[in-house]
Amino acid sequence: MGLLGSLAMLLSFLSILWSPALGAVSHAVSTDRARSLDALLQDYAYRAFDRPRTGISYNGKVPSNLTGITISAMRLRSGSLRNRGVNSYKEFEIPTGVVVRPYVERLVLVYQNLGNWSADYYPVPGYMYLAPVVGLLGYDASNLSATNLVELNVTTSGQPISVRFSVVRSVPVGSTARCVRFDLQGTTIFSNVTSGNVCSTNEQGHFGIVAESTAPSPAPVLQPPPASLLPPAQSPSSNGGLSNNDKMWWKIVGSVGGSILVLSLLLILVLGIRKYKRRKAMEEMEERSEYGEALQIANIGPVRAPMARGTRTPPETEIQNVD
């Protein structure tokens, strides 16, 4: 394989790594863990029901190895959810017009708050959580003893569901708070946070507020140390160094010396050009002399130059014939 072929393969590989769809692939492992957690929390949330009443929230208990996660369950009629919504269920405000597919007569909305487990189950590279991940998932309520249930498809047909976070950490300087949503396929979707730390969604899933963890921090303001902490000043003779005055003097000497050197080179160049022109003129005059009368060379001042001879061709005497 040639060099061009190798480079093409390398570029193709890099384009795959940097493609936008990589986010879903990078979450594949954590998605499996998250889906297993959903199934476990559904089981423990259903255990909270004891003669449940419709529309009442029941808090469940999680295993001891998941301390920090809170769960809750609420049983509703599908028709009532569609026509009335739910005013307040933990952080969620569910409007009217919610559609449940496949249709069931009753459903259970299981609430999750992952607390300090948020980044473990839903990591977002390059971001830090300002609010813990909360989830809302719908399940069939026909059998409250069932486990490993498949989630229903809960979506809105009108206004979105609001997720109002009550406890949100301060946004780091230079960063911006973003809503993040994780659907059941593990896709990560970002959106803007609206006033009051509210995120919006049209379907069930898991939600949080994040900020870039790699935001540049402001440059620190350096304060000069106290005079008592500064090392004692050392003279040039003690450490072999030069004082500021000596350094300034050498800079001046260097500048002057450099200027003189440049001027000298320019002068040499000018004199060389003049000498070259004179030599060229002499050569031209000598070449001309080869085709005419030989010229004598004489000194004219400091210059030797060819001169014509001092004699002239005498005129011929005109002889007239006398008859």
Side-chain angles (χ1 to χ4, degrees):
M1 182 181 294
L3 178 60
L4 293 178
S6 300
L7 290 176
M9 289 186 63
L10 179 60
L11 292 176
S12 300
F13 177 71
L14 293 176
S15 64
I16 294 174
L17 288 180
W18 292 336
S19 63
L22 184 63
V25 176
S26 64
H27 288 332
V29 175
S30 61
T31 300
D32 293 338
R33 294 182 65 236
R35 302 300 292 128
S36 298
L37 179 66
D38 290 339
L40 180 65
L41 296 183
Q42 176 267 316
D43 178 22
Y44 277 83
Y46 271 43
R47 295 182 188 184
F49 288 128
D50 183 16
R51 297 181 181 179
R53 297 174 57 187
T54 302
I56 303 299
S57 173
Y58 293 86
N59 296 328
K61 294 182 179 180
V62 298
S64 58
N65 62 335
L66 293 176
T67 300
I69 295 179
T70 59
I71 57 175
S72 181
M74 177 185 293
R75 191 178 67 165
L76 297 165
R77 291 182 179 272
S78 297
S80 176
L81 177 62
R82 179 182 180 87
N83 297 327
R84 301 180 183 177
V86 178
N87 235 356
S88 177
Y89 181 26
K90 305 296 184 180
E91 285 88 352
F92 293 90
E93 298 175 5
I94 306 174
T96 59
V98 171
V99 179
V100 179
R101 295 189 179 91
Y103 175 80
V104 292
E105 183 178 354
R106 295 176 183 267
L107 76 155
V108 173
L109 294 179
V110 173
Y111 164 84
Q112 305 173 4
N113 186 323
L114 301 189
N116 56 352
W117 294 87
S118 299
D120 292 333
Y121 285 95
Y122 294 96
V124 186
Y127 289 82
M128 58 182 294
Y129 277 101
L130 303 180
V133 171
V134 295
L136 186 68
L137 302 176
Y139 300 92
D140 187 1
S142 59
N143 182 3
L144 297 182
S145 300
T147 59
N148 295 320
L149 292 174
V150 178
E151 293 84 358
L152 301 172
N153 186 13
V154 180
T155 58
T156 60
S157 59
Q159 295 181 350
I161 299 172
S162 297
V163 188
R164 189 179 302 275
F165 293 88
S166 56
V167 179
V168 180
R169 294 167 53 189
S170 300
V171 181
V173 177
S175 185
T176 304
R178 303 291 305 278
C179 293
V180 59
R181 177 170 69 88
F182 308 93
D183 63 15
L184 298 182
Q185 288 71 42
T187 304
T188 303
I189 303 169
F190 292 92
S191 59
N192 295 327
V193 179
T194 57
S195 178
N197 297 322
V198 176
C199 297
S200 299
T201 177
N202 291 319
E203 60 184 26
Q204 63 183 358
H206 295 81
F207 313 89
I209 295 180
V210 296
E212 288 180 301
S213 57
T214 56
S217 57
V221 179
L222 300 178
Q223 298 292 337
S228 59
L229 298 180
L230 292 175
Q234 296 180 350
S235 61
S237 59
S238 62
N239 59 7
L242 297 176
S243 64
N244 291 333
N245 291 336
D246 291 337
K247 292 179 181 179
M248 182 61 67
W249 169 254
W250 280 110
K251 287 181 179 180
I252 296 174
V253 172
S255 300
V256 173
S259 301
I260 294 175
L261 178 61
V262 172
L263 292 176
S264 301
L265 293 175
L266 289 176
L267 180 60
I268 293 173
L269 180 62
V270 171
L271 293 177
I273 292 174
R274 292 182 62 184
K275 186 175 180 181
Y276 171 78
K277 289 182 176 180
R278 289 176 182 174
R279 186 171 64 251
K280 194 67 175 176
M282 291 288 295
E283 291 175 355
E284 291 179 355
M285 295 178 68
E286 290 175 357
E287 289 177 359
R288 292 175 183 174
S289 66
E290 293 179 358
Y291 300 97
E293 184 180 1
L295 301 178
Q296 295 182 348
I297 305 300
N299 293 327
I300 302 176
V303 180
R304 291 174 58 82
M307 294 182 58
R309 294 179 178 178
T311 60
R312 296 179 59 191
T313 304
E316 295 181 359
T317 303
E318 182 177 347
I319 301 176
Q320 299 180 354
N321 293 327
V322 179
D323 295 334

